[in-house]
Amino acid sequence: MNARMIFFGILFFELAYDLFRLYLIDKQRKLPLPIEVSDIYEPQRYQTYLAYMKDNRSLYLKKKAVSVILNCLMIFTPFFYFIEQISSGSIYEIFFITFAINMVIELVESYIVGYINTFKIQDKYGLNKKDLKEFIRSYCLSEIPNIFVSLLLYVLIIFICEHMASWTNQFNISF
């Protein structure tokens, strides 16, 4: 079994898990409001909540489908071969190019989903209190630290993997 099939298997398992989890949630939400909370939680408000969650779930499934399709395209096309060809062969350069492309795709995808969620779905239910300027500011303030932290962690992992053999040989440790 080659690496492509392993990555595809992981993607498929993750998708199957998400779909099964959403099926269980949907099955539970179709049940009527429990009697114990019916005097606290109004049935109309509960129906509005269910409709809001259904719209969010639909948006999440669309985002997940696009993500799976893009990942499959990267796995089954010569994308990584192309990245290796345009780089000088350094593992860090290959990583940075791949990371930058993946991050741009993910940022665009999450911006579009966040915009639709904030200005379409939340507006529909009267939950949106943001304007476009505040949305962009909060989006940037939440995404930029995530990019830097994940970049640092990935570089640290690559560094450790690159030097593990020399470290273990130095102490006569074998795996």
Side-chain angles (χ1 to χ4, degrees):
M1 185 183 303
N2 61 15
R4 287 182 180 183
M5 287 298 140
I6 292 172
F7 286 133
F8 181 72
I10 291 169
L11 280 174
F12 179 76
F13 179 74
E14 180 186 5
L15 180 63
Y17 173 76
D18 279 348
L19 290 176
F20 180 69
R21 185 180 53 85
L22 289 175
Y23 165 75
L24 290 178
I25 291 170
D26 192 42
K27 183 179 172 185
Q28 182 64 32
R29 287 196 175 138
K30 285 182 180 178
L31 298 175
L33 188 64
I35 297 171
E36 293 83 12
V37 294
S38 62
D39 60 336
I40 300 170
Y41 208 71
E42 300 171 10
Q44 180 60 32
R45 185 173 175 205
Y46 184 64
Q47 293 304 319
T48 305
Y49 167 76
L50 290 178
Y52 173 73
M53 292 308 291
K54 183 178 181 183
D55 288 347
N56 271 337
R57 187 172 46 253
S58 173
L59 182 63
Y60 172 77
L61 286 173
K62 290 173 187 172
K63 178 187 183 295
K64 189 71 174 174
V66 168
S67 179
V68 167
I69 290 169
L70 288 175
N71 283 325
C72 285
L73 283 174
M74 287 194 312
I75 290 172
F76 292 111
T77 61
F79 171 76
F80 293 111
Y81 177 75
F82 173 73
I83 297 297
E84 192 172 349
Q85 293 302 313
I86 64 172
S87 70
S88 64
S90 166
I91 186 113
Y92 294 105
E93 187 177 352
I94 293 169
F95 164 73
F96 284 124
I97 293 170
T98 307
F99 182 80
I101 292 171
N102 282 334
M103 196 52 60
V104 167
I105 291 170
E106 187 176 318
L107 287 173
V108 169
E109 188 178 65
S110 67
Y111 179 81
I112 292 170
V113 168
Y115 182 85
I116 292 171
N117 185 32
T118 302
F119 294 107
K120 303 287 185 197
I121 296 174
Q122 288 183 5
D123 271 351
K124 181 179 175 182
Y125 296 98
L127 301 172
N128 182 22
K129 307 290 187 230
K130 293 182 181 180
D131 60 349
L132 184 61
K133 184 179 177 182
E134 185 179 349
F135 172 76
I136 293 172
R137 187 170 104 350
S138 67
Y139 178 78
C140 290
L141 288 176
S142 68
E143 291 298 325
I144 290 173
N146 288 341
I147 292 170
F148 286 118
V149 168
S150 60
L151 182 64
L152 287 174
L153 286 174
Y154 289 141
V155 168
L156 178 66
I157 290 169
I158 291 172
F159 179 79
I160 289 171
C161 290
E162 278 276 307
H163 295 88
M164 183 65 75
S166 65
W167 294 339
T168 55
N169 289 339
Q170 182 179 4
F171 299 111
N172 292 329
I173 301 172
S174 61
F175 289 104

PDB file of all heavy atoms in Angstrom, residues 21-38:
ATOM      1  N   ARG A  21     -21.274  11.043  12.844  1.00  0.00           N
ATOM      2  CA  ARG A  21     -21.504  11.919  13.992  1.00  0.00           C
ATOM      3  C   ARG A  21     -22.664  12.870  13.715  1.00  0.00           C
ATOM      4  O   ARG A  21     -23.553  13.050  14.557  1.00  0.00           O
ATOM      5  CB  ARG A  21     -20.223  12.701  14.295  1.00  0.00           C
ATOM      6  CG  ARG A  21     -20.283  13.563  15.524  1.00  0.00           C
ATOM      7  CD  ARG A  21     -18.968  14.298  15.747  1.00  0.00           C
ATOM      8  NE  ARG A  21     -18.512  15.038  14.592  1.00  0.00           N
ATOM      9  CZ  ARG A  21     -18.911  16.279  14.307  1.00  0.00           C
ATOM     10  NH1 ARG A  21     -19.766  16.895  15.083  1.00  0.00           N
ATOM     11  NH2 ARG A  21     -18.450  16.893  13.239  1.00  0.00           N
ATOM     12  N   LEU A  22     -22.689  13.451  12.524  1.00  0.00           N
ATOM     13  CA  LEU A  22     -23.781  14.357  12.168  1.00  0.00           C
ATOM     14  C   LEU A  22     -25.113  13.615  12.059  1.00  0.00           C
ATOM     15  O   LEU A  22     -26.171  14.165  12.398  1.00  0.00           O
ATOM     16  CB  LEU A  22     -23.462  15.081  10.867  1.00  0.00           C
ATOM     17  CG  LEU A  22     -22.367  16.131  10.963  1.00  0.00           C
ATOM     18  CD1 LEU A  22     -22.046  16.685   9.594  1.00  0.00           C
ATOM     19  CD2 LEU A  22     -22.744  17.232  11.924  1.00  0.00           C
ATOM     20  N   TYR A  23     -25.070  12.363  11.593  1.00  0.00           N
ATOM     21  CA  TYR A  23     -26.287  11.548  11.541  1.00  0.00           C
ATOM     22  C   TYR A  23     -26.843  11.324  12.950  1.00  0.00           C
ATOM     23  O   TYR A  23     -28.056  11.454  13.173  1.00  0.00           O
ATOM     24  CB  TYR A  23     -25.997  10.209  10.860  1.00  0.00           C
ATOM     25  CG  TYR A  23     -27.075   9.179  11.067  1.00  0.00           C
ATOM     26  CD1 TYR A  23     -28.285   9.268  10.385  1.00  0.00           C
ATOM     27  CD2 TYR A  23     -26.895   8.137  11.976  1.00  0.00           C
ATOM     28  CE1 TYR A  23     -29.286   8.339  10.593  1.00  0.00           C
ATOM     29  CE2 TYR A  23     -27.891   7.203  12.186  1.00  0.00           C
ATOM     30  CZ  TYR A  23     -29.081   7.306  11.491  1.00  0.00           C
ATOM     31  OH  TYR A  23     -30.067   6.395  11.708  1.00  0.00           O
ATOM     32  N   LEU A  24     -25.976  11.005  13.890  1.00  0.00           N
ATOM     33  CA  LEU A  24     -26.433  10.790  15.270  1.00  0.00           C
ATOM     34  C   LEU A  24     -26.996  12.071  15.879  1.00  0.00           C
ATOM     35  O   LEU A  24     -28.023  12.036  16.576  1.00  0.00           O
ATOM     36  CB  LEU A  24     -25.286  10.256  16.130  1.00  0.00           C
ATOM     37  CG  LEU A  24     -24.830   8.833  15.838  1.00  0.00           C
ATOM     38  CD1 LEU A  24     -23.649   8.467  16.732  1.00  0.00           C
ATOM     39  CD2 LEU A  24     -25.967   7.847  16.029  1.00  0.00           C
ATOM     40  N   ILE A  25     -26.344  13.183  15.620  1.00  0.00           N
ATOM     41  CA  ILE A  25     -26.833  14.462  16.136  1.00  0.00           C
ATOM     42  C   ILE A  25     -28.191  14.786  15.529  1.00  0.00           C
ATOM     43  O   ILE A  25     -29.125  15.198  16.230  1.00  0.00           O
ATOM     44  CB  ILE A  25     -25.809  15.579  15.858  1.00  0.00           C
ATOM     45  CG1 ILE A  25     -24.557  15.377  16.723  1.00  0.00           C
ATOM     46  CG2 ILE A  25     -26.409  16.960  16.105  1.00  0.00           C
ATOM     47  CD1 ILE A  25     -23.405  16.286  16.356  1.00  0.00           C
ATOM     48  N   ASP A  26     -28.311  14.584  14.219  1.00  0.00           N
ATOM     49  CA  ASP A  26     -29.570  14.870  13.536  1.00  0.00           C
ATOM     50  C   ASP A  26     -30.690  13.963  14.045  1.00  0.00           C
ATOM     51  O   ASP A  26     -31.825  14.404  14.237  1.00  0.00           O
ATOM     52  CB  ASP A  26     -29.393  14.707  12.031  1.00  0.00           C
ATOM     53  CG  ASP A  26     -30.556  15.258  11.251  1.00  0.00           C
ATOM     54  OD1 ASP A  26     -31.041  16.350  11.613  1.00  0.00           O
ATOM     55  OD2 ASP A  26     -30.981  14.601  10.281  1.00  0.00           O
ATOM     56  N   LYS A  27     -30.374  12.712  14.259  1.00  0.00           N
ATOM     57  CA  LYS A  27     -31.369  11.763  14.777  1.00  0.00           C
ATOM     58  C   LYS A  27     -31.849  12.196  16.158  1.00  0.00           C
ATOM     59  O   LYS A  27     -33.049  12.137  16.457  1.00  0.00           O
ATOM     60  CB  LYS A  27     -30.735  10.371  14.834  1.00  0.00           C
ATOM     61  CG  LYS A  27     -31.663   9.285  15.283  1.00  0.00           C
ATOM     62  CD  LYS A  27     -30.955   7.953  15.275  1.00  0.00           C
ATOM     63  CE  LYS A  27     -31.793   6.876  15.895  1.00  0.00           C
ATOM     64  NZ  LYS A  27     -31.093   5.599  15.998  1.00  0.00           N
ATOM     65  N   GLN A  28     -30.934  12.646  17.007  1.00  0.00           N
ATOM     66  CA  GLN A  28     -31.291  13.078  18.356  1.00  0.00           C
ATOM     67  C   GLN A  28     -32.113  14.365  18.320  1.00  0.00           C
ATOM     68  O   GLN A  28     -33.051  14.537  19.096  1.00  0.00           O
ATOM     69  CB  GLN A  28     -30.028  13.280  19.199  1.00  0.00           C
ATOM     70  CG  GLN A  28     -30.285  13.680  20.626  1.00  0.00           C
ATOM     71  CD  GLN A  28     -31.015  12.620  21.414  1.00  0.00           C
ATOM     72  OE1 GLN A  28     -30.853  11.429  21.170  1.00  0.00           O
ATOM     73  NE2 GLN A  28     -31.829  13.031  22.361  1.00  0.00           N
ATOM     74  N   ARG A  29     -31.784  15.259  17.416  1.00  0.00           N
ATOM     75  CA  ARG A  29     -32.489  16.541  17.353  1.00  0.00           C
ATOM     76  C   ARG A  29     -33.892  16.415  16.777  1.00  0.00           C
ATOM     77  O   ARG A  29     -34.698  17.318  16.924  1.00  0.00           O
ATOM     78  CB  ARG A  29     -31.671  17.550  16.550  1.00  0.00           C
ATOM     79  CG  ARG A  29     -30.471  18.006  17.339  1.00  0.00           C
ATOM     80  CD  ARG A  29     -29.879  19.242  16.771  1.00  0.00           C
ATOM     81  NE  ARG A  29     -28.798  19.686  17.638  1.00  0.00           N
ATOM     82  CZ  ARG A  29     -27.650  20.143  17.205  1.00  0.00           C
ATOM     83  NH1 ARG A  29     -27.426  20.241  15.914  1.00  0.00           N
ATOM     84  NH2 ARG A  29     -26.716  20.514  18.051  1.00  0.00           N
ATOM     85  N   LYS A  30     -34.179  15.323  16.102  1.00  0.00           N
ATOM     86  CA  LYS A  30     -35.529  15.123  15.569  1.00  0.00           C
ATOM     87  C   LYS A  30     -36.511  14.722  16.662  1.00  0.00           C
ATOM     88  O   LYS A  30     -37.722  14.765  16.456  1.00  0.00           O
ATOM     89  CB  LYS A  30     -35.508  14.070  14.459  1.00  0.00           C
ATOM     90  CG  LYS A  30     -34.916  14.597  13.176  1.00  0.00           C
ATOM     91  CD  LYS A  30     -34.957  13.565  12.089  1.00  0.00           C
ATOM     92  CE  LYS A  30     -34.353  14.121  10.817  1.00  0.00           C
ATOM     93  NZ  LYS A  30     -34.324  13.143   9.743  1.00  0.00           N
ATOM     94  N   LEU A  31     -35.981  14.337  17.812  1.00  0.00           N
ATOM     95  CA  LEU A  31     -36.860  13.975  18.928  1.00  0.00           C
ATOM     96  C   LEU A  31     -37.545  15.234  19.459  1.00  0.00           C
ATOM     97  O   LEU A  31     -36.993  16.325  19.389  1.00  0.00           O
ATOM     98  CB  LEU A  31     -36.049  13.310  20.036  1.00  0.00           C
ATOM     99  CG  LEU A  31     -35.355  11.987  19.678  1.00  0.00           C
ATOM    100  CD1 LEU A  31     -34.496  11.509  20.828  1.00  0.00           C
ATOM    101  CD2 LEU A  31     -36.390  10.938  19.305  1.00  0.00           C
ATOM    102  N   PRO A  32     -38.737  15.094  20.008  1.00  0.00           N
ATOM    103  CA  PRO A  32     -39.424  16.279  20.548  1.00  0.00           C
ATOM    104  C   PRO A  32     -38.691  16.807  21.788  1.00  0.00           C
ATOM    105  O   PRO A  32     -37.886  16.114  22.416  1.00  0.00           O
ATOM    106  CB  PRO A  32     -40.816  15.758  20.898  1.00  0.00           C
ATOM    107  CG  PRO A  32     -40.669  14.295  21.030  1.00  0.00           C
ATOM    108  CD  PRO A  32     -39.536  13.890  20.138  1.00  0.00           C
ATOM    109  N   LEU A  33     -39.007  18.034  22.110  1.00  0.00           N
ATOM    110  CA  LEU A  33     -38.430  18.686  23.282  1.00  0.00           C
ATOM    111  C   LEU A  33     -38.816  17.916  24.539  1.00  0.00           C
ATOM    112  O   LEU A  33     -39.999  17.605  24.738  1.00  0.00           O
ATOM    113  CB  LEU A  33     -38.934  20.130  23.363  1.00  0.00           C
ATOM    114  CG  LEU A  33     -38.312  21.040  24.394  1.00  0.00           C
ATOM    115  CD1 LEU A  33     -36.825  21.239  24.091  1.00  0.00           C
ATOM    116  CD2 LEU A  33     -39.002  22.384  24.384  1.00  0.00           C
ATOM    117  N   PRO A  34     -37.858  17.543  25.378  1.00  0.00           N
ATOM    118  CA  PRO A  34     -38.191  16.787  26.595  1.00  0.00           C
ATOM    119  C   PRO A  34     -39.139  17.567  27.507  1.00  0.00           C
ATOM    120  O   PRO A  34     -39.082  18.792  27.586  1.00  0.00           O
ATOM    121  CB  PRO A  34     -36.827  16.593  27.275  1.00  0.00           C
ATOM    122  CG  PRO A  34     -35.826  16.772  26.196  1.00  0.00           C
ATOM    123  CD  PRO A  34     -36.432  17.729  25.227  1.00  0.00           C
ATOM    124  N   ILE A  35     -39.983  16.826  28.174  1.00  0.00           N
ATOM    125  CA  ILE A  35     -40.992  17.424  29.059  1.00  0.00           C
ATOM    126  C   ILE A  35     -40.327  18.186  30.198  1.00  0.00           C
ATOM    127  O   ILE A  35     -40.823  19.222  30.630  1.00  0.00           O
ATOM    128  CB  ILE A  35     -41.942  16.335  29.606  1.00  0.00           C
ATOM    129  CG1 ILE A  35     -42.704  15.702  28.450  1.00  0.00           C
ATOM    130  CG2 ILE A  35     -42.888  16.895  30.642  1.00  0.00           C
ATOM    131  CD1 ILE A  35     -43.501  14.480  28.833  1.00  0.00           C
ATOM    132  N   GLU A  36     -39.183  17.699  30.673  1.00  0.00           N
ATOM    133  CA  GLU A  36     -38.507  18.324  31.800  1.00  0.00           C
ATOM    134  C   GLU A  36     -38.091  19.757  31.520  1.00  0.00           C
ATOM    135  O   GLU A  36     -37.997  20.580  32.435  1.00  0.00           O
ATOM    136  CB  GLU A  36     -37.251  17.522  32.188  1.00  0.00           C
ATOM    137  CG  GLU A  36     -37.526  16.140  32.743  1.00  0.00           C
ATOM    138  CD  GLU A  36     -37.728  15.105  31.638  1.00  0.00           C
ATOM    139  OE1 GLU A  36     -37.439  15.383  30.465  1.00  0.00           O
ATOM    140  OE2 GLU A  36     -38.203  14.011  31.968  1.00  0.00           O
ATOM    141  N   VAL A  37     -37.821  20.088  30.274  1.00  0.00           N
ATOM    142  CA  VAL A  37     -37.368  21.439  29.948  1.00  0.00           C
ATOM    143  C   VAL A  37     -38.403  22.226  29.144  1.00  0.00           C
ATOM    144  O   VAL A  37     -38.133  23.350  28.727  1.00  0.00           O
ATOM    145  CB  VAL A  37     -36.032  21.409  29.168  1.00  0.00           C
ATOM    146  CG1 VAL A  37     -34.914  20.875  30.020  1.00  0.00           C
ATOM    147  CG2 VAL A  37     -36.169  20.659  27.878  1.00  0.00           C
ATOM    148  N   SER A  38     -39.560  21.639  28.912  1.00  0.00           N
ATOM    149  CA  SER A  38     -40.571  22.314  28.088  1.00  0.00           C
ATOM    150  C   SER A  38     -41.090  23.590  28.741  1.00  0.00           C
ATOM    151  O   SER A  38     -41.494  24.516  28.045  1.00  0.00           O
ATOM    152  CB  SER A  38     -41.729  21.374  27.779  1.00  0.00           C
ATOM    153  OG  SER A  38     -42.369  20.986  28.965  1.00  0.00           O
TER     154      SER A  38
END
